[in-house]
Amino acid sequence: MPVARPTHVDIDLAALRHNFRLVRRQAGAGRQVLAVVKADAYGHGAKGVARALESEGADLFGVALLEEARELRAAGIRAPILILGGIYPGQEAGFFEPDLIPCIFDLTTARRLNAAAKSAGRILGCHIKIDTGMGRVGFFNGELQDMLPELNKLANLRIDGVMSHLAVADEPRHPFTAEQVERFRRALARVREASHRPRFLHIDNSAALFAHDIPECNLVRPGIVLYGALPSGHFAGRLDLRPVMHWRTSIALLKTLPTGSGVSYGHRFIATRPTLVATLPVGYADGYNRRLTNCGEVLVRGRRVPVAGTVCMDWTMIDVTDVPGVQVGDEVTLLGQADGQWIRAEDWAEKIGTIPYEVFCQVSKRVPRIFKS
Ligand SMILES: *Cc1c(COP(=O)(O)O)cnc(C)c1O
């Protein structure tokens, strides 16, 4: 293997395991934990993350795509996998593998899956999704009366789970969550009246797990908290989470610019003093967001230093004038912890007007993930 450029993400598996144990405690004895590892485990690397969580005792995994489920199986993951993101025409047979669980959102898809299962001589366990107010996917409560008898006719599908998703759980005082839970309860009653016996009842994402108690559920579906970030600012200071992703690079070049010199495209940074600029081999093609131009911060030798000028595709410059002893090859932390200091995904997200989820997902495939146990 040729030596790679010094830009990589360290994945702290001890932190991941710590966060999982926190989730497990919060879920309590009566609930199973489905660890959401969609989108390559929110950019952390699904194979390594799922392996660590499976050995820590995760009961199920959740992914968005059938392709993601197959990737986990290829990596040796044996736990059941719930595919949250639908069943597209032509994919039906892909769900016949043991313990790959489809989510049913609509009758047309259910019929198509049932027909495929029937011709393969299979009975498929599936979860049905209720749209209690997310306005995205699932059956509305008002549809259930007509839908359930139709689902009953699909002899090759078995309803093993009933689930819904919360729209505003990350705002703990928002009254709409209680309304969604109430709709979910009514849906469960209807499902049972139609003589289905779902084993799994679930609605909790990370925010709901830590902000609401929904006693009838026996499975929780946390994602973001496993990775050590908060569902929203409402949880600040309340959860003992440890960030898992630490994005690092090192200084490729140092140059001193005289007062008045410009840096990078558009000369959006002009040196107002003789300025020591360090060039980093990382850019927006790696997911270092271009909106961090002139406002991002990184850690060098225990100090926070600012991004200088426009973030380029493959390069980013920082102003290290105030870092004593700075040298080519010094480690630079873009996200995560170094020398007891933090660049948190929450801070970064606020600067560029997004959420930690997107910050993690944006770290591109070009950046190797290195798992540290
Ligand atoms: C992504 C997702 C989750 C996890 O949400 P977090 O906010 O990351 O905990 C749970 N359920 C469904 C259906 C999801 O799509």
Side-chain angles (χ1 to χ4, degrees):
M1 269 278 273
V3 174
R5 73 179 165 152
T7 299
H8 65 273
V9 159
D10 287 326
I11 299 298
D12 179 350
L13 294 177
L16 180 72
R17 285 192 291 266
H18 165 88
N19 298 336
F20 180 82
R21 288 193 291 267
L22 193 78
V23 159
R24 174 66 87 196
R25 251 198 321 278
Q26 180 72 16
R31 293 191 189 134
Q32 295 196 25
V33 177
L34 177 150
V36 179
V37 295
K38 64 194 179 194
D40 204 23
Y42 294 35
H44 290 64
K47 291 182 209 164
V49 163
R51 281 189 190 126
L53 291 177
E54 187 167 60
S55 67
E56 198 58 40
D59 301 294
L60 296 91
F61 290 100
V63 296
L65 313 181
L66 180 60
E67 302 87 293
E68 293 173 338
R70 301 174 84 90
E71 192 191 343
L72 293 185
R73 282 287 180 261
I77 298 300
R78 314 190 74 90
I81 304 173
L82 182 65
I83 292 98
L84 300 164
I87 307 141
Y88 294 90
Q91 290 189 326
E92 298 82 3
F95 286 86
F96 299 168
E97 303 291 324
D99 287 327
L100 291 193
I101 310 165
C103 292
I104 304 285
F105 313 139
D106 67 285
L107 201 53
T108 311
T109 307
R111 286 181 173 138
R112 182 160 44 74
L113 188 64
N114 183 70
K118 188 172 178 190
S119 54
R122 303 290 299 260
I123 307 279
L124 293 187
C126 55
H127 291 202
I128 59 168
K129 182 108 174 225
I130 313 297
D131 190 337
T132 55
M134 181 71 179
R136 192 170 71 174
V137 294
F139 298 102
F140 290 121
N141 281 60
E143 287 178 294
L144 288 175
Q145 194 148 11
D146 295 334
M147 291 301 167
L148 286 167
E150 293 304 310
L151 285 174
N152 271 339
K153 292 180 195 158
L154 306 179
N156 293 73
L157 301 186
R158 186 185 63 237
I159 299 180
D160 283 342
V162 181
M163 62 185 289
S164 189
H165 195 49
L166 296 168
V168 293
D170 61 328
E171 300 169 55
R173 275 187 285 277
H174 198 300
F176 191 63
T177 299
E179 172 65 26
Q180 283 198 262
V181 171
E182 191 45 44
R183 290 178 192 176
F184 189 56
R185 285 185 183 131
R186 289 203 295 270
L188 291 179
R190 282 248 184 274
V191 169
R192 289 184 175 126
E193 281 162 21
S195 55
H196 295 288
R197 293 287 167 265
R199 281 168 59 215
F200 293 109
L201 312 175
H202 48 113
I203 194 167
D204 288 83
N205 54 8
S206 295
L209 173 61
F210 286 95
H212 298 279
D213 186 32
I214 305 162
E216 44 273 275
C217 291
N218 55 14
L219 177 72
V220 296
R221 302 192 308 261
I224 194 74
V225 287
L226 295 173
Y227 308 106
L230 299 171
S232 72
H234 293 282
F235 295 82
R238 291 182 37 208
L239 309 182
D240 170 32
L241 297 171
R242 295 194 196 149
V244 174
M245 182 185 284
H246 303 267
W247 191 358
R248 309 198 202 276
T249 184
S250 68
I251 294 175
L253 282 149
L254 282 170
K255 52 185 66 190
T256 304
L257 300 182
T259 304
S261 308
V263 173
S264 193
Y265 294 117
H267 277 183
R268 292 186 180 91
F269 178 93
I270 303 288
T272 55
R273 56 178 176 168
T275 299
L276 186 60
V277 169
T279 304
L280 308 178
V282 64
Y284 62 76
D286 301 299
Y288 197 74
N289 198 292
R290 192 170 170 278
R291 279 171 290 159
L292 292 166
T293 292
N294 277 339
C295 74
E297 284 183 323
V298 303
L299 302 175
V300 187
R301 291 186 177 240
R303 290 175 192 249
R304 263 169 205 277
V305 306
V307 169
T310 306
V311 173
C312 309
M313 189 182 290
D314 311 300
W315 298 110
T316 298
M317 277 61 78
I318 57 175
D319 179 351
V320 291
T321 314
D322 298 324
V323 183
V326 65
Q327 284 179 11
V328 166
D330 278 357
E331 183 176 85
V332 176
T333 297
L334 308 170
L335 180 68
Q337 187 188 32
D339 306 311
Q341 296 230 47
W342 290 98
I343 303 282
R344 292 188 184 272
E346 285 84 355
D347 306 333
W348 176 332
E350 200 171 295
K351 279 193 176 138
I352 66 171
T354 184
I355 52 177
Y357 298 70
E358 196 186 18
V359 169
F360 295 144
C361 288
Q362 278 183 349
V363 182
S364 80
K365 288 283 173 282
R366 196 164 83 167
V367 182
R369 273 65 168 172
I370 297 173
F371 294 93
K372 307 232 155 152
S373 48

